[in-house]
Structures are given as C-alpha cells and as structure tokens.
Amino acid sequence: MEYLEQCQAFWEACDELRNSKIIIADSKVSKVLKSVVSCPALVEIVGEALVGYNLTNELNKLTGTGLNGKPKLELPNEPYRVIALVFSLLSEFDARRLDFQEFIAQYFPQESLTDSFNDFNEKLLLPFRDYLCEWVGFKEKKDEPAQIVEEVEECDCPECTAGELNSIEQFFEDVNMILNQIQETIKLDSKIKQDRLDDLNITINALYDVTAMQNFKIFNALLISLNTLLAPIKSVRFYNMELQNRIAAFYSL
C-alpha cells in the first residue's frame, strides 16, 4: 500500500470510529490502531511522541472538574502530547485494560453516553487525526468537479501586480503567525536550555523584522539557522513542519 493510501486508510478509520454507534465503537478502535502501525510515516511520529510517556501521569495532569463534580479531561496544548495521549488511550481500550464506554462516561460527562462519545471524538479523536495528517503533509482526498482551465497570458497590469503583492503579504502574515506559535511554545518548554532559548528568540525576532521588509534573501538565510535550533525540540516539531509546508506551498506557486 502506497504512502497516500496508508494515510487515507488512517483518515477513514478515524471517521469510521467517529461515525459509529458507541455500543460497537470498540471494534473500530482496533482498525484505527492498525491503520497507524501500517504507515511508517505515522509510526515514526507516534513513536517519538511516546518516548518517556506515562499515560497515568498525563491523565492526572489533564483531569479537571466537569458536570456534577465528575472528572473532565482537558486537551493538552502541544500537538505531540495529543498524539501520545490518544494513541495510548486507544491502545488501552483495544487491550481491554480500560473500558471504552466507562472511560468516556467518566471523563467526558454529558447528558447521555452518545453525547459523551461525540465530545470525546471532537476533543481528542479529531485533533489526533488532524495533527498526524498535517504532520506528514496529508490532506483528505476529495472528489471535486472537473474544471475547465484556460490559458492566460501573463501581464504586468496593475490588477495582476496587486494580486501578486497580496499573495506575498499573505505569505509573510502566515509565517508571522506560525513564528508566534513557536515563540509562545518555547517560552513554556522548561526542557530548553537558556542559551538555546536566547538564540531562538534572537533568530525569531530577526525573522519578524525581515518579514516586515519582505526580504527573501535574508529570510531564507535565517530559516536555516532557525531549523538548526528547532531540530531537537519536540514541542515545536508540529509548528516547524507547518512552517516548512507553508513555505513549500508558497514557492510552488
């Protein structure tokens, strides 16, 4: 099975679980897990997220108070923690070490078990699916109506030039938003040594200045430095991947 087919199978397995009835959802959990382990790209990400991971400790950190004083599970902020949490939970459900329905009723308290299941899907399963797929650069394949493409000659009229300028401005606006996410995440990551944190902030602040000038030459040079600094930091891997995908998409236009 090819890479895209493997990712599509994972996406569809998650949808099957999400759209199933709660009473038969257990059987769909196994299919999600099998679709993950059948895709080397997904296995690599999940494997890294699980290094040193302790599900019990994580549940204690994430548990708050919900309806009627019952425990309520809050979603972690970092994508890699969401991936580790959901994969670990699904594994526990599949191995019958945790009862699926009891867990959902306990940690996602709603007026009915069906509502609790829907809450679980929205807060955990869908972010898990989306983070993994975005991380490997996969988008769900959808059938779209055929479009007639007409050849258009390039021109330098004000309207076309304005369109290119807007595209560049949008690109740098998106980059700044992702850089801000990276900076906010590293600020909260206690595992980063101070000297690396200082270097990261200097580089990111320089990138802010460069994006304001829209200077691609300096921008590309600073990106090399940023990638080197971010390489060992797990907490921002998703955001760095998002940044690289946005840059690749822009340069492919």
Side-chain angles (χ1 to χ4, degrees):
M1 186 182 292
E2 297 296 328
Y3 161 73
L4 291 179
E5 293 176 339
Q6 294 168 344
C7 293
Q8 183 68 30
F10 166 67
W11 185 285
E12 292 173 356
C14 289
D15 273 357
E16 282 188 32
L17 173 57
R18 181 166 63 103
N19 296 323
S20 67
K21 300 291 184 181
I22 182 66
I23 58 174
I24 61 170
D26 298 56
S27 61
K28 306 298 182 181
V29 168
S30 180
K31 189 171 182 178
V32 173
L33 292 172
K34 288 178 180 177
S35 68
V36 172
V37 299
S38 298
C39 179
L42 298 180
V43 169
E44 180 181 359
I45 295 171
V46 172
E48 288 188 13
L50 290 174
V51 173
Y53 188 78
N54 186 297
L55 178 60
T56 302
N57 291 343
E58 186 74 347
L59 288 176
N60 290 334
K61 294 177 185 177
L62 299 173
T63 302
T65 303
L67 296 175
N68 301 321
K70 293 183 178 180
K72 181 180 180 181
L73 200 63
E74 300 293 340
L75 187 69
N77 292 323
E78 301 88 343
Y80 78 93
R81 288 178 62 199
V82 175
I83 291 169
L85 171 66
V86 180
F87 187 85
S88 297
L89 286 174
L90 294 178
S91 299
E92 293 297 300
F93 298 149
D94 189 53
R96 300 294 191 272
R97 288 188 290 267
L98 280 178
D99 185 276
F100 190 34
Q101 295 186 27
E102 286 183 4
F103 180 88
I104 288 174
Q106 178 179 1
Y107 287 98
F108 297 88
Q110 298 292 333
E111 293 183 359
S112 70
L113 188 57
T114 298
D115 290 339
S116 295
F117 181 47
N118 291 335
D119 198 30
F120 166 83
N121 288 324
E122 291 297 320
K123 293 181 178 177
L124 287 188
L125 182 65
L126 290 185
F128 169 72
R129 180 199 69 184
D130 293 345
Y131 283 145
L132 273 177
C133 287
E134 288 175 16
W135 219 327
V136 296
F138 172 78
K139 292 184 178 180
E140 184 191 16
K141 188 176 180 180
K142 296 181 179 178
D143 294 328
E144 296 181 354
Q147 295 181 346
I148 299 176
V149 179
E150 298 181 357
E151 291 188 4
V152 180
E153 293 185 3
E154 295 183 2
C155 72
D156 297 323
C157 68
E159 289 80 6
C160 292
T161 305
E164 292 177 1
L165 182 60
N166 289 338
S167 176
I168 293 173
E169 289 178 346
Q170 183 62 57
F171 167 70
F172 281 117
E173 183 179 326
D174 293 345
V175 166
N176 275 341
M177 182 176 65
I178 300 171
L179 288 174
N180 182 256
Q181 292 171 327
I182 291 174
Q183 198 164 37
E184 288 298 314
T185 302
I186 61 175
K187 183 168 64 175
L188 300 173
D189 192 339
S190 59
K191 296 180 181 179
I192 304 176
K193 293 183 179 180
Q194 188 60 48
D195 57 346
R196 181 175 291 268
L197 184 60
D198 291 341
D199 289 342
L200 277 165
N201 282 317
I202 291 171
T203 304
I204 293 173
N205 289 334
L207 278 165
Y208 286 142
D209 293 336
V210 169
T211 57
M213 295 184 293
Q214 297 185 1
N215 186 316
F216 282 98
K217 185 175 181 179
I218 303 177
F219 175 75
N220 291 332
L222 285 172
L223 275 179
I224 297 173
S225 175
L226 181 66
N227 286 331
T228 301
L229 290 168
L230 292 178
I233 304 175
K234 185 186 293 185
S235 60
V236 294
R237 181 175 175 183
F238 171 78
Y239 295 124
N240 194 28
M241 181 69 72
E242 186 181 4
L243 177 61
Q244 302 310 315
N245 289 340
R246 182 64 185 91
I247 293 169
F250 176 77
Y251 283 123
S252 66
L253 293 177

